[in-house]
Amino acid sequence: MYNFDVVTPKTVADAVAALGEEDAQALGGGQTLIPTLKQRLASPSKLVSLTGIDEIKGIRTDDSGVLCIGGGTSHSTIAGEGSAYPALAALAGNIGDPAVRNRGTIGGSLANNDPSACYPAAALASGATIVTNSREIAADDFFQGMFTTALDDAEIITEIRFPVPEKANYQKFEQPASRFSLVGVFLAKYADGVRVAVTGASNDGVFRWSEAETALSSNFSVDALDGLSASSDDMIADMHGSAEYRAHLIGVLTKRAVAAAG
Amino acid sequence: MAKVQMTVNGKSVSGEVEGRTLLVEFIRGKLELTGTHIGCDTSQCGACLVHVNGQAVKSCTMFAAEAEGAEVTTIEGITGKDGSLTAVQQAFQDYHGLQCGFCTPGMVMSATALLKDNPKPSEAEIREYLKGNICRCTGYHNIVKAIMAASGQDVGAIAAE
């Protein structure tokens, strides 16, 4: 690793101030950033650790039943205490391994927007709101391509607000070495329609499969997906799977998600 | 360099560290507690697993500076003052849950964390929990048996897959 300073602010305001310095970077749980630093793929002058900021940790349900999760909340906390949204808790409990889940945070994952990460699919399928120190961003506007989000440089995710769906399910086709999704499909059924978000598949990162959403919104059944197939245009192709294979998995996993959601 | 202070195995310790100093480097290099191993250094293998504020953490993927004020427990900190083994350690010995022993500190710390949260795990839960701990000698069967035994459960039923 190149060297850098680490600061450990206790408040969001102090963290934002520290991030204002040139080449400063936020450090969430570090489960992606630290390996990245070890490979010298990043060279911040200062890391602003967010793990000591208590005000962005924890889970609550607001008056309208929306599940609000602090950006600094770990995957293991969401897995254990997120039972108001079972599909989300299950997703959190299947990321990486137990020790990784104890450090990694939902805010860190969303801010990184890895094209194969799990949480972006949950946030997009749920129509979540990403709250930062300065504004609220709809999930539909937040994800802007592989490793790219609407966040500004010195902006910190303080909370993610998930409207809890009537039914939901996440199907992760795991790449067993990395434990990221080779393809993952998050399905959420709300009173006003169904949302389907796909991770792991596209060169543009997480996206909504609108044809499946339309079909399932009018008929929430596995049969409604018959004849639908996701396009392999601009799908990720690598040693683990071709673009066509990933496109095929999207259809299979969406059907499985509908069946599992019941 | 900046000063970091934490409690390791019940003792208050402090030292000067660079920002990039990993917790495992602080534990091994500064504190000379070399029971915690560095296997892969990429957070895959779990040989460096310690407890930070009671939670299992891979100490190769956390900076020492992030442990400021934390309670850290390493493999050296779990035995009794007289050197007596914990139930997990004794079971690893009794059931031959190690061969070369390199992964063992991480395995024992992981198993200890599991049994704290889940005192009677099923075989499947043990195998799932050990996802982040890699052993290249044992094939895991004796490790799983040891953890079943340490939790007071019958080991006879474990399938040799």
Side-chain angles (χ1 to χ4, degrees):
Chain A
M1 278 179 278
Y2 298 110
N3 204 13
F4 42 78
D5 294 329
V6 175
V7 294
T8 54
K10 299 292 180 201
T11 65
V12 171
D14 287 351
V16 170
L19 283 171
E21 294 179 29
E22 196 174 339
D23 294 332
Q25 188 172 355
L27 172 67
Q31 302 303 288
T32 297
L33 182 53
I34 294 176
T36 304
L37 290 163
K38 287 181 179 182
Q39 295 181 61
R40 292 192 165 187
L41 294 173
S43 55
S45 60
K46 175 180 280 190
L47 286 182
V48 180
S49 168
L50 307 180
T51 47
I53 306 176
D54 288 338
E55 64 187 291
I56 59 168
K57 290 181 189 172
I59 301 177
R60 65 186 176 89
T61 303
D62 75 7
D63 295 342
S64 49
V66 172
L67 188 68
C68 304
I69 301 178
T73 309
S74 70
H75 310 331
S76 56
T77 299
I78 296 169
E81 299 172 19
S83 55
Y85 193 162
L88 181 67
L91 173 153
N94 197 34
I95 295 171
D97 63 55
V100 167
R101 293 196 288 273
N102 283 338
R103 290 294 298 167
T105 65
I106 184 170
S109 174
L110 292 174
N112 190 49
N113 193 17
D114 187 296
S116 298
C118 296
Y119 281 121
L124 189 59
S126 306
T129 301
I130 288 90
V131 185
T132 76
N133 53 294
S134 58
R135 57 184 168 146
E136 298 181 3
I137 309 168
D140 283 314
D141 301 324
F142 182 82
F143 302 105
Q144 299 188 348
M146 193 180 281
F147 297 112
T148 308
T149 69
L151 291 173
D152 293 329
D153 281 347
E155 194 169 10
I156 294 170
I157 297 176
T158 55
E159 190 171 77
I160 304 95
R161 296 181 185 151
F162 288 93
V164 178
E166 295 167 357
K167 294 178 178 180
N169 188 262
Y170 180 54
Q171 291 289 321
K172 177 180 182 178
F173 196 91
E174 191 172 284
Q175 204 287 82
S178 72
R179 306 208 179 102
F180 277 86
S181 49
L182 188 68
V183 174
V185 172
F186 200 106
L187 169 95
K189 180 179 187 295
Y190 291 90
D192 60 353
V194 175
R195 291 171 67 107
V196 177
V198 180
T199 187
S202 169
N203 282 316
D204 279 335
V206 68
F207 69 96
R208 288 171 65 187
W209 186 18
S210 50
E211 292 88 347
E213 291 183 349
T214 305
L216 291 169
S217 293
S218 58
N219 175 16
F220 191 75
S221 72
V222 174
D223 295 343
L225 295 167
D226 282 346
L228 282 186
S229 59
S231 165
S232 62
D233 291 350
D234 212 26
M235 290 281 147
I236 298 170
D238 59 18
M239 63 184 288
H240 306 299
S242 65
E244 293 74 20
Y245 181 61
R246 280 183 164 83
H248 177 69
L249 277 180
I250 294 169
V252 172
L253 296 175
T254 305
K255 285 186 173 179
R256 288 183 187 173
V258 175
Chain B
M1 301 285 269
K3 192 179 174 195
V4 63
Q5 186 277 326
M6 66 189 82
T7 302
V8 177
N9 300 334
K11 270 182 22 189
S12 178
V13 298
S14 61
E16 293 282 322
V17 295
E18 290 185 316
R20 62 184 166 184
T21 302
L22 298 167
L23 180 59
V24 71
E25 294 169 339
F26 182 75
I27 289 169
R28 288 177 57 87
K30 295 270 185 190
L31 306 180
E32 299 185 344
L33 294 171
T34 53
T36 301
H37 291 167
I38 302 173
C40 63
D41 197 31
T42 54
S43 59
Q44 314 287 315
C45 82
C48 67
L49 198 138
V50 300
H51 297 177
V52 177
N53 295 329
Q55 289 195 310
V57 165
K58 290 179 172 176
S59 60
C60 80
T61 309
M62 176 172 177
F63 294 117
E66 293 181 281
E68 172 69 31
E71 297 265 353
V72 177
T73 305
T74 71
I75 188 72
E76 290 91 345
I78 63 169
T79 48
K81 284 205 168 55
D82 58 354
S84 57
L85 301 180
T86 66
V88 172
Q89 289 175 305
Q90 187 62 53
F92 268 67
Q93 190 180 93
D94 293 344
Y95 287 87
H96 201 65
L98 61 149
Q99 287 181 30
C100 85
F102 193 86
C103 73
T104 311
M107 286 287 179
V108 168
M109 295 308 285
S110 201
T112 303
L114 167 64
L115 297 186
K116 185 166 68 81
D117 292 342
N118 185 357
K120 300 278 181 203
S122 67
E123 180 187 348
E125 286 171 335
I126 293 170
R127 290 185 186 277
E128 171 69 22
Y129 198 88
L130 294 181
K131 246 181 164 181
N133 290 85
I134 293 173
C135 172
R136 297 292 79 168
C137 302
T138 65
Y140 303 97
H141 298 307
N142 288 355
I143 293 171
V144 176
K145 283 181 183 171
I147 298 169
M148 290 294 275
S151 57
Q153 302 186 85
D154 180 21
V155 301
I158 292 179
E161 287 172 12

